[in-house]
C-alpha cells in the first residue's frame, strides 16, 4: 500500500472514500462534519469506537463516499486509538472493494504522533495472511492511503508510521509462514537479507560455532530435529556524529522456536498447529531492527535470536538430562516443553559477553502467563525499576499494554535441583514467575526486562482493525525504547 501525506482540505479530496473521525458525545459539529449534524444529533451516528457509517455522494464533498469512523470519547482518544481507527476504516472499506482512501486529521490531531499512528494502522489493517492461497479472488487490498493534515511535523509522522507499519507486517509475514517453509535456516536467511537491505551488521552462528562457544542449553533443545539450529546477531550502530551521549548498549533477545512440539514432553494434538507462532518473539525483535535501521536512534542496538525446532526425534534430549549453559551453570531438564528459557539463557549470556548494558527479551514462554493475564496484557518482569520506568513510558506511548509481575526471591526455591544448579521448571504454581526467575539467572547483573508474550503474540480471530494471526507485539515498544533512551 502506498502511504502519502497531503495538505489539501478534505472537501477537495476526489478519491474513492474520505474518512472523517467522529467522537462520542461531541457537542455541535463543525467543519466537514457539519453536513451530517442531523444524523449525529439524532444518535444515528454515535461515534462509538469501531462504528463505521458509509455515506455515498455526500453534498459538499468531491469524494465519492465519506466514511464516518467512530473514535470513542474524545478525551480518551490518543495515538493508539487512532491506530485502531485507521485499521478499522481500511478493513471496512477494502471489504467493499474500495482501493483508494484518505483520512482527515482535524487541527487538534494534526501532530506527528497521530499521523504516525494513522499511517501505521492503515498498513496493519491492510495486511492479510493469505500469501499461500492459490485462489485470491476473495482477497481485497487497498492500494493508496492518504493522510490529510497541516501540522508541521505531520509529514515526518507519516514517514515514521510507514516504517513501523511495514516492519510489523514483515514480522507478521515471517511468523505466519508454515513450519515446513520457516525453519531456523530460513529465518536466518531472511534476517540476513533484511540486514543487507537496511545496512545492519549481521552474523549467523551455525551448530559448530555454537558448540565451540559452549551453548549447551541451546544445542540441547535442537537435538531432536533434523533442522539445524542457528544463532542470529544483528547490529545497529549510530552514524558518526549522530550518537547520543547515552552509554546504553541495548540488547534485544527474541525466542525463535520455529515449531514447538514440546519434544519428548509432547504437547496435545489440539491447537499444536499454532506452535508455528512460538517464534513470535524473534520476529518482533527482527522487525524492530528493520525499523531501527531506518529511524536511526542515537544508541547502539543489538538483536540476538536463538532459533531452533523442538522435535521428539531419536536424538532428543530427555526429561532428566543435564545440560551445561554458556554461562557455565548446569540445568536439569525436567520438561522438554520448557525449551524457550533454555535457548534464551545462552542468548542472554552471550549478549553480556558482547557488551550489551541493558537487556529486553520477548518470548511466547508460558501458558501460565496466559491464564494470569489473558490476551490483553503482556506479562512484564523487570530487575531494575529505572529501566522498567523507561519501558513503561515506551510501551504506554505505543499502546502495547504491559503488566508488571513479581520476581520475589521466595519463588527461586522452586527452581532448586539436587543434581544441577537449576531445574528448567518450577512446578505447577507461579509458572510465569519461575520461568522469568530462571532467565534472570543469566541476565544478572544487568538491568533486564522479560516479556512473556504468550497471550499477546497472536490473535485467534479477525479484529475490526487487524487480521487474525501474529500481532508483531512488542515491536513498536522496542523501537520507542531505543528512541527514548537516545534522548
Amino acid at each position: 500500500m502506498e502511504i502519502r501525506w497531503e495538505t489539501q482540505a478534505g472537501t477537495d479530496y476526489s478519491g474513492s472514500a474520505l474518512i472523517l473521525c467522529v467522537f462520542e458525545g461531541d457537542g455541535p459539529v463543525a467543519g466537514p462534519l457539519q453536513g451530517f449534524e442531523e444524523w449525529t444529533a439524532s444518535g444515528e451516528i454515535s461515534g462509538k469506537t469501531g462504528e463505521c457509517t458509509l455515506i455515498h455522494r455526500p453534498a459538499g464533498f468531491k469524494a465519492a463516499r465519506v466514511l464516518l469512523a467512530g473514535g470513542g470519547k474524545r478525551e480518551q482518544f490518543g495515538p493508539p486509538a487512532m491506530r485502531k481507527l485507521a485499521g478499522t476504516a481500511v478493513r471496512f472499506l477494502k471489504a467493499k472493494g474500495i482501493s483508494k482512501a484518505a483520512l482527515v486529521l482535524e487541527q487538534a490531531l494534526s501532530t506527528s504522533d497521530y499521523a504516525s499512528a494513522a499511517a501505521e494502522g492503515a498498513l496493519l489493517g491492510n495486511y492479510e495472511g493469505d500469501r499461500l492461497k492459490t485462489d485470491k479472488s476473495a482477497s481485497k487490498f487497498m492500494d493508496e492511503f492518504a493522510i490529510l493534515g497541516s501540522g508541521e511535523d505531520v509529514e515526518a509522522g507519516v514517514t515514521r508510521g510507514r516504517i513501523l507499519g511495514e516492519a510489523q507486517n514483515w514480522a507478521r509475514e515471517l511468523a505466519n509462514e508454515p513450519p515446513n517453509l520457516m525453519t531456523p535456516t530460513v529465518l536466518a536467511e531472511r534476517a540476513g537479507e533484511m540486514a543487507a537491505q537496511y545496512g545492519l551488521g549481521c552474523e549467523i552462528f551455525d551448530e559448530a560455532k555454537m558448540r565451540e562457544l559452549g551453548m549447551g542449553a541451546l544445542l540441547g533443545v535442537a537435538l531432536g530435529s533434523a533442522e539445524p539450529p542457528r544463532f542470529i546477531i544483528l547490529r545497529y550502530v549510530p552514524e558518526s556524529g549522530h550518537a547520543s551521549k547515552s552509554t546504553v548498549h541495548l540488547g534485544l533477545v527474541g525466542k525463535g522456536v520455529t515449531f514447538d512440539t514440546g519434544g519428548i514432553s509432547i504437547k496435545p494434538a489440539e491447537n499444536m498447529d499454532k506452535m508455528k507462532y512460538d517464534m513470535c518473539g524473534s520476529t518482533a525483535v527482527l522487525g524492530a531492527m528493520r525499523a531501527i535501521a531506518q529511524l536511526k536512534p542515537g544508541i547502539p542496538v543489538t538483536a540476538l535470536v536463538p532459533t531452533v525446532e523442538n522435535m521428539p526425534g531419536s536424538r532428543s534430549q530427555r526429561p532428566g538430562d543435564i545440560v551445561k549453559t554458556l554461562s557455565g551453570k548446569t540445568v536439569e531438564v525436567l520438561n522438554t516443553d520448557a525449551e524457550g528459557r533454555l535457548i534464551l539463557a545462552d542468548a542472554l549470556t552471550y549478549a553480556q559477553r558482547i557488551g550489551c548494558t541493558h537487556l529486553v527479551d520477548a518470548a511466547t514462554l508460558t501458558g501460565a502467563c496466559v491464564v494470569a493475564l489473558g490476551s490483553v496484557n503482556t506479562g512484564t518482569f523487570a530487575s531494575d525499576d529505572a529501566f522498567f520506568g523507561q519501558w513503561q513510558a515506551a510501551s504506554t506511548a505505543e499502546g502495547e499494554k504491559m503488566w508488571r509481575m513479581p520476581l520475589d526471591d521466595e519463588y527461586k526455591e522452586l527452581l532448586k535441583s539436587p543434581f544441577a544448579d537449576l531445574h528448567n521448571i518450577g512446578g505447577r504454581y507461579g509458572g510465569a514467575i519461575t520461568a522469568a526467575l530462571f532467565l534472570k539467572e543469566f541476565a544478572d547483573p544487568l538491568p533486564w526486562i522479560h516479556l512473556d508474550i504468550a497471550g499477546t503474540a497472536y490473535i485467534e480471530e479477525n479484529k475490526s482493525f487487524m487480521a487474525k494471526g501474529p500481532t508483531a507485539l512488542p515491536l513498536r515498544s522496542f523501537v520507542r525504547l531505543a528512541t527514548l533512551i537516545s534522548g
Side-chain angles (χ1 to χ4, degrees), residues 284-295:
V285 164
L286 294 174
M289 293 301 288
R290 172 178 159 146
I292 284 168
Q294 297 172 81
L295 295 171

Side-chain angles (χ1 to χ4, degrees), residues 329-335 338 341-342 365-366 407-442 448:
K329 293 178 182 178
T330 56
V331 177
E332 183 183 9
V333 180
L334 296 187
N335 188 318
R341 65 202 71 182
L342 293 172
L365 208 64
T366 68
L407 282 171
D408 302 83
D409 284 343
E410 289 88 339
Y411 291 102
K412 290 172 67 174
E413 296 296 314
L414 298 171
L415 292 171
K416 286 188 174 179
S417 165
F419 308 113
D421 297 322
L422 296 163
H423 284 146
N424 77 322
I425 57 170
R428 180 180 179 186
Y429 300 108
I433 300 168
T434 53
L437 282 166
F438 179 93
L439 294 177
K440 187 174 181 291
E441 290 289 315
F442 304 92
W448 158 81

Side-chain angles (χ1 to χ4, degrees), residues 184-436:
T185 300
V186 173
L187 182 60
E189 289 171 351
R190 297 280 186 90
E193 290 165 1
M194 182 274 288
Q197 182 178 356
Y198 293 100
L200 294 168
C202 178
E203 196 171 4
I204 309 293
F205 292 171
D206 61 11
E207 197 169 357
K209 178 65 174 179
M210 286 183 268
R211 189 174 295 109
E212 176 189 331
L213 289 168
M215 294 181 167
L218 196 164
L219 291 171
V221 175
L223 281 173
S225 176
E227 295 291 341
R230 292 289 182 265
F231 189 76
I232 304 164
I233 304 167
L234 300 185
R235 293 182 174 89
Y236 164 77
V237 180
E239 296 172 358
S240 177
H242 184 65
S244 76
K245 294 180 180 179
S246 172
T247 58
V248 170
H249 177 179
L250 181 61
L252 303 178
V253 182
K255 174 186 173 184
V257 179
T258 57
F259 193 73
D260 181 20
T261 67
I264 295 296
S265 308
I266 197 164
K267 296 175 180 290
E270 186 177 2
N271 291 322
M272 196 193 284
D273 59 292
K274 295 184 177 66
M275 288 302 99
K276 70 177 185 177
Y277 295 140
D278 213 20
M279 60 183 285
C280 282
S282 70
T283 56
V285 164
L286 294 174
M289 293 301 288
R290 172 178 159 146
I292 284 168
Q294 297 172 81
L295 295 171
K296 301 186 183 307
I299 60 168
V301 184
T302 299
L304 304 101
V305 171
T307 177
V308 300
E309 192 178 58
N310 188 23
M311 299 289 283
S314 61
R315 297 172 58 245
S316 295
Q317 69 180 1
R318 295 142 293 221
D321 282 1
I322 293 178
V323 296
K324 187 175 182 181
T325 66
L326 179 61
S327 72
K329 293 178 182 178
T330 56
V331 177
E332 183 183 9
V333 180
L334 296 187
N335 188 318
T336 64
D337 193 24
E339 84 297 333
R341 65 202 71 182
L342 293 172
I343 68 173
L344 290 172
D346 282 346
L348 290 166
T349 300
Y350 194 77
Q352 295 201 50
R353 287 194 180 181
I354 62 174
C356 293
T357 63
H358 293 66
L359 300 174
V360 187
D361 75 72
T364 46
L365 208 64
T366 68
C369 197
V370 185
V371 172
L373 297 175
S375 60
V376 177
N377 281 278
T378 292
T380 307
F381 301 81
S383 65
D384 181 89
D385 288 343
F387 190 34
F388 174 74
Q390 292 177 310
W391 174 255
Q392 190 173 38
S395 59
T396 299
E398 293 297 342
E400 294 185 323
K401 293 185 177 182
M402 309 284 162
W403 189 263
R404 192 173 186 181
M405 303 282 278
L407 282 171
D408 302 83
D409 284 343
E410 289 88 339
Y411 291 102
K412 290 172 67 174
E413 296 296 314
L414 298 171
L415 292 171
K416 286 188 174 179
S417 165
F419 308 113
D421 297 322
L422 296 163
H423 284 146
N424 77 322
I425 57 170
R428 180 180 179 186
Y429 300 108
I433 300 168
T434 53

